[in-house]
Amino acid sequence: MALVEARGLTKVYATGGQTVHALRGVSIAIEAGEFVAIMGASGSGKSTLMNILGCLDRPTAGAYQLAGEPVETMAADQLAAVRNRRIGFVFQQFNLLPRTTALENVELPMVYAGVRAADRRARALEALQRVGLAERASHTPSELSGGQQQRVAIARALVNRPQLILADEPTGALDSQTSEDIMRLLTDLNRQGMTIVLVTHENDIAQWARRKIVFRDGMIVEDTAGVPA
């Protein structure tokens, strides 16, 4: 069974008296251990799909199973539990709390998961070590470079030991060298068995993935396996 299995996903928005078809019957399967880049112009449907895969939104129609669980009809609290247990998120703007240390930022998902304080600290340090930032654990975001902040965000995404990492333009706020460092880190995590789905506008970033899916007008127009960087 695929880790991600979506069939006939449709998403319709009503805005300003108009009906917008963000997704038009999208079906997709992603196996555990894949590294997938999702591309497409603004308004193509890729962000809508990402929100559904991340249990942040529900489809208007269609079915979605994550690790065998049908999630499209779950209540909000059930979706929150699935997100916390199964998914790690990485965003373009890092979304770190500015007045807390790197360690405390990484601990945050475990607070919601009810992990004991001593265990939180140990697991957060382990996650920071995994992304090469253990020595910066006591620093606040303002004391870190953009690349280091994104590494903290990746550590935070990993700390609850999810099955899936969803990365939305993770290099969009970074220079080219730092972007390459972050993509090398994501590639290493994928080689260790982590499933990664990446949204990007940039072809050079998509080249790091092992599979590329291109959206246009709410539909998949290309789904190809590539040669990773």
Side-chain angles (χ1 to χ4, degrees), residues 25 149 175 185-186 197 207:
Q149 289 183 62
D175 62 61
L185 172 58
L186 291 175
V197 178
Q207 292 301 317

Side-chain angles (χ1 to χ4, degrees), residues 21-120:
H21 294 268
L23 293 178
R24 302 172 183 264
V26 169
S27 296
I28 185 173
I30 298 172
E31 301 293 333
E34 283 201 79
F35 189 168
V36 181
I38 298 179
M39 302 190 72
S42 179
S44 63
K46 65 184 187 303
S47 294
T48 300
L49 177 70
M50 182 70 95
N51 286 337
I52 292 173
L53 296 185
C55 300
L56 298 167
D57 197 4
R58 294 186 180 89
T60 304
Y64 171 36
Q65 289 193 345
L66 177 59
E69 287 188 86
V71 297
E72 75 277 359
T73 58
M74 285 184 178
D77 58 340
Q78 293 175 300
L79 288 174
V82 169
R83 286 195 301 271
N84 192 264
R85 185 173 76 252
R86 297 197 184 277
I87 305 171
F89 294 92
V90 181
F91 300 100
Q92 178 176 339
Q93 297 301 331
F94 320 139
N95 292 348
L96 301 177
L97 297 178
R99 295 182 179 84
T100 59
T101 65
L103 183 69
E104 290 164 338
N105 269 286
V106 175
E107 284 186 272
L108 195 59
M110 294 183 289
V111 174
Y112 296 130
V115 178
R116 293 185 311 163
D119 292 336
R120 289 201 305 266

Side-chain angles (χ1 to χ4, degrees), residues 2-213:
L3 177 62
V4 168
E5 188 167 2
R7 298 186 302 278
L9 292 183
T10 298
K11 186 65 180 182
V12 180
Y13 297 101
T15 175
Q18 295 183 322
T19 300
V20 177
H21 294 268
L23 293 178
R24 302 172 183 264
V26 169
S27 296
I28 185 173
I30 298 172
E31 301 293 333
E34 283 201 79
F35 189 168
V36 181
I38 298 179
M39 302 190 72
S42 179
S44 63
K46 65 184 187 303
S47 294
T48 300
L49 177 70
M50 182 70 95
N51 286 337
I52 292 173
L53 296 185
C55 300
L56 298 167
D57 197 4
R58 294 186 180 89
T60 304
Y64 171 36
Q65 289 193 345
L66 177 59
E69 287 188 86
V71 297
E72 75 277 359
T73 58
M74 285 184 178
D77 58 340
Q78 293 175 300
L79 288 174
V82 169
R83 286 195 301 271
N84 192 264
R85 185 173 76 252
R86 297 197 184 277
I87 305 171
F89 294 92
V90 181
F91 300 100
Q92 178 176 339
Q93 297 301 331
F94 320 139
N95 292 348
L96 301 177
L97 297 178
R99 295 182 179 84
T100 59
T101 65
L103 183 69
E104 290 164 338
N105 269 286
V106 175
E107 284 186 272
L108 195 59
M110 294 183 289
V111 174
Y112 296 130
V115 178
R116 293 185 311 163
D119 292 336
R120 289 201 305 266
R121 180 178 176 81
R123 283 170 53 179
L125 283 170
E126 178 188 354
L128 285 169
Q129 179 71 44
R130 197 171 177 185
V131 301
L133 272 188
E135 77 284 356
R136 308 289 281 179
S138 63
H139 291 252
T140 62
S142 66
E143 298 170 320
L144 302 173
S145 68
Q148 289 172 333
Q149 289 183 62
Q150 191 61 293
R151 286 176 178 268
V152 173
I154 292 170
R156 181 184 57 193
L158 292 170
V159 77
N160 270 346
R161 299 162 184 165
Q163 295 165 286
L164 174 66
I165 294 289
L166 296 179
D168 191 356
E169 300 283 0
T171 62
L174 303 174
D175 62 61
S176 57
Q177 182 57 58
T178 307
S179 295
E180 185 172 327
D181 292 342
I182 292 300
M183 292 311 302
R184 188 173 290 110
L185 172 58
L186 291 175
T187 300
D188 288 344
L189 292 171
N190 176 249
R191 287 173 178 157
Q192 294 166 27
M194 180 64 65
T195 308
I196 298 174
V197 178
L198 164 79
V199 165
T200 182
H201 287 92
E202 302 172 74
N203 275 306
D204 58 334
I205 295 300
Q207 292 301 317
W208 289 83
R210 297 174 180 271
R211 176 182 174 192
K212 182 171 74 172
I213 298 173

